[in-house]
Amino acid sequence: MYLSNKAQLFSLDIMLALVPLTIALGISANAMSGVVNQMQEYSDAYHMRRMAIDAADVIVKTAGTPEDWESNNSPSIVGLAVFDTASNRTEPNKLDINKIENMSGAYLADLLAGEFSYYNLSIYPINASADVSWFENVSWSGGSRADKKDIVVVERFAYLENGTNTTFVGVRLEVGR
Amino acid sequence: MSKGNGFIFTMDAIIALVPVFIIVASVSTPGTADSIALQSQFLGDMRKGNDILVSMSAGDAFDTANSSAVNETLGSLIPPNLGYNFTMTYDLNGTESLEIFNLSRGNMSEAESVMEAEQVGLYWTQEIVDDVHMVSHNAFNESASCAGDAESGNATYNMTVYVSSADMAEYDYYFVVDKDDTGSLAAWVQTCQFPFCTPDNDGCEDISWSDITIPKFDSSVSYNMSKYYFSKNYLYPDSVNYVYVKVTGSGEYADFYVMKALKKMDEDFVDPETARNPQVVFVSLKIWREE
């Protein structure tokens, strides 16, 4: 068989070899594109979760601004924790029953800064064995949950007392968009 | 010399595929979604653990020696699908520690990962129930002896101690004498159910001064503190106990305490100085999901 001495860079063989290489690169590019989209979704979900967690932190661990907003003011930032005026300090994860009674959905919407088209905050007693008839579930919400693609739920725990009545409560914040 | 065959399956092509597979493998990143979900779940459990410790602390749920009460609170706060291990330890002297609580649910060895929340808190491992200070033997001998009280109907120097059955199950009670300086001093103690005692000890059951004599102090010993453990026979549960003190000596002064300390605590660590304030304890809550 005759053998040519010319280079074979553009031969049929290399063209055939490029076929699987091109397929592999195509798959890689597609996968890369998918990863970018995936990372975008993760980033959005993370951002949403982060906001919900931070909002729940503010509600459970701070007394709000001003600290005595429940008595005579609308809060610029709402928080439900007890503020001990004697020691001048907030008691994190210890909720003030007066603040709960004065809480409203509008305050919650302000705290969430319009980031979510749906939100729901509920507080419910946990102690199954204790008598918690003095405190019933309370909730504040805005928007409709039905058509939301992404929903994030954050659940926290706190302590609540009203005179001699005490209970542990769950604080559940649900947001969606 | 070439054989004229195609070379699509040659060693060249196989080697060329190596970087291709590396590229494909690196960009496809299998398991990313799972790892992010796991991370999110882990962080969620961590917040849950911290919340539980802070909430329990805010609700004074640790201010009890009753382990079943703490366990019940933990059981109601931690969802049933999670296992937990709750410990509270007190550093006795830098080298020894006292484990106040060690409560568990589930089997930690079957957990894929364990989340731990920690907190430093305050707890009464020992406490002064009542005390009298700087009492000289002269004052006691003159006005607080049992015979003297019988005439007046009241005791001048006594300590009032309410002992509940629940506390009695968790704590030991001690009578502690802390003498201020060297010298010879002896003290006696008597418990009664009534705010007075009588010469024949009516109302004081079978206890008499001599029944529970505190070891006599001696200048030759290097310490000035003596402790007497109140056995159940000498304290009346769910009742106020009046603890009378009488001392004899050579004009010395002393402080007297009725103290309670966790039953787990060795008597050597019972100390009024430590018991003046709540003690710093280390609290740990481990949470896990079992496979």
Side-chain angles (χ1 to χ4, degrees):
Chain A
M1 185 176 174
Y2 174 75
L3 176 62
S4 169
N5 287 328
K6 292 180 179 175
Q8 58 180 45
L9 183 61
F10 300 108
S11 69
L12 183 60
D13 289 340
I14 195 119
M15 290 297 286
L16 285 173
L18 282 174
V19 170
L21 186 63
T22 308
I23 293 171
L25 285 175
I27 293 170
S28 297
N30 188 47
M32 188 74 85
S33 168
V35 166
V36 170
N37 291 336
Q38 213 176 15
M39 291 306 290
Q40 184 64 48
E41 284 179 19
Y42 289 150
S43 174
D44 289 347
Y46 179 79
H47 175 68
M48 197 169 162
R49 175 166 289 277
R50 186 74 258 167
M51 281 206 68
I53 290 167
D54 287 349
D57 264 351
V58 171
I59 290 166
V60 169
K61 292 183 180 296
T62 76
T65 307
E67 292 92 352
D68 63 343
W69 62 264
E70 77 280 7
S71 52
N72 48 20
N73 296 302
S74 294
S76 55
I77 300 171
V78 72
L80 298 179
V82 167
F83 183 77
D84 184 359
T85 50
S87 61
N88 201 33
R89 59 183 282 270
T90 302
E91 298 187 31
N93 289 70
K94 187 174 186 178
L95 302 189
D96 188 329
I97 188 75
N98 295 320
K99 285 179 174 158
I100 291 174
E101 287 170 353
N102 285 281
M103 177 67 176
S104 82
Y107 299 159
L108 183 60
D110 288 345
L111 180 68
L112 298 172
E115 283 280 334
F116 305 106
S117 51
Y118 163 72
Y119 55 84
N120 180 285
L121 174 70
S122 58
I123 302 176
Y124 53 93
I126 286 179
N127 293 32
S129 58
D131 176 16
V132 287
S133 56
W134 59 275
F135 180 71
E136 294 181 351
N137 294 12
V138 288
S139 66
W140 305 268
S141 61
S144 166
R145 190 184 196 278
D147 56 346
K148 298 300 170 291
K149 183 186 169 196
D150 298 317
I151 299 278
V152 167
V153 178
V154 178
E155 198 151 20
R156 310 302 297 262
F157 294 112
Y159 179 75
L160 176 65
E161 65 182 12
N162 183 15
T164 56
N165 295 317
T166 63
T167 183
F168 289 101
V169 293
V171 179
R172 181 186 169 94
L173 178 62
E174 198 174 75
V175 295
R177 58 185 175 195
Chain B
M1 180 178 159
S2 166
K3 292 187 289 183
N5 297 333
F7 63 87
I8 193 163
F9 299 114
T10 61
M11 182 63 80
D12 291 344
I14 291 169
I15 292 172
L17 283 174
V18 171
V20 173
F21 284 129
I22 291 173
I23 292 168
V24 170
S26 62
V27 298
S28 60
T29 57
T32 303
D34 286 346
S35 69
I36 289 180
L38 274 174
Q39 188 186 30
S40 175
Q41 189 181 70
F42 186 83
L43 292 172
D45 287 347
M46 184 178 283
R47 275 191 301 276
K48 197 172 299 204
N50 281 313
D51 265 2
I52 288 168
L53 287 188
V54 176
S55 301
M56 288 180 76
S57 179
D60 298 331
F62 300 147
D63 294 353
T64 174
N66 187 343
S67 58
S68 61
V70 176
N71 211 17
E72 186 182 344
T73 304
L74 286 166
S76 65
L77 287 175
I78 299 174
N81 62 325
L82 298 181
Y84 66 79
N85 173 248
F86 174 84
T87 58
M88 182 189 280
T89 52
Y90 169 56
D91 184 11
L92 289 165
N93 57 7
T95 56
E96 294 175 80
S97 63
L98 175 71
E99 190 172 69
I100 301 165
F101 295 120
N102 189 345
L103 308 168
S104 285
R105 185 177 73 190
N107 187 353
M108 201 193 306
S109 63
E110 294 183 9
E112 186 180 337
S113 62
V114 178
M115 187 287 309
E116 183 171 13
E118 296 170 340
Q119 189 178 340
V120 174
L122 298 174
Y123 186 85
W124 293 99
T125 60
Q126 54 180 300
E127 196 171 350
I128 296 170
V129 183
D130 201 1
D131 52 14
V132 286
H133 295 280
M134 299 299 287
V135 177
S136 75
H137 75 284
N138 290 329
F140 263 68
N141 278 343
E142 288 162 8
S143 61
S145 69
C146 202
D149 294 336
E151 293 172 5
S152 65
N154 291 294
T156 307
Y157 299 104
N158 69 67
M159 290 177 274
T160 308
V161 182
Y162 179 80
V163 182
S164 70
S165 299
D167 275 357
M168 219 163 189
E170 305 288 349
Y171 295 99
D172 283 333
Y173 284 79
Y174 296 89
F175 175 73
V176 180
V177 184
D178 188 7
K179 203 169 78 59
D180 288 330
D181 47 30
T182 57
S184 177
L185 177 72
W188 288 262
V189 63
Q190 182 181 42
T191 62
C192 298
Q193 278 186 291
F194 306 104
F196 55 87
C197 57
T198 59
D200 57 0
N201 294 319
D202 286 345
C204 299
E205 302 297 336
D206 296 321
I207 304 172
S208 68
W209 296 112
S210 57
D211 278 339
I212 43 177
T213 304
I214 298 298
K216 187 175 181 180
F217 287 93
D218 191 326
S219 59
S220 62
V221 297
S222 58
Y223 58 88
N224 288 337
M225 189 181 296
S226 184
K227 301 161 192 170
Y228 176 79
Y229 166 65
F230 278 126
S231 72
K232 286 184 178 177
N233 295 334
Y234 293 127
L235 287 175
Y236 304 94
D238 300 317
S239 167
V240 173
N241 291 264
Y242 298 91
V243 180
Y244 295 91
V245 182
K246 184 173 78 170
V247 294
T248 61
S250 56
E252 303 297 336
Y253 287 80
D255 297 328
F256 300 88
Y257 304 88
V258 173
M259 293 180 60
K260 67 177 183 180
L262 290 174
K263 281 185 181 294
K264 297 174 180 175
M265 180 173 283
D266 192 285
E267 182 179 324
D268 291 345
F269 293 105
V270 175
D271 184 351
E273 282 302 316
T274 307
R276 287 187 203 287
N277 298 301
Q279 292 87 58
V280 176
V281 292
F282 185 73
V283 184
S284 160
L285 176 63
K286 295 188 178 82
I287 292 178
W288 64 86
R289 290 168 193 269
E290 291 178 18
E291 290 296 293

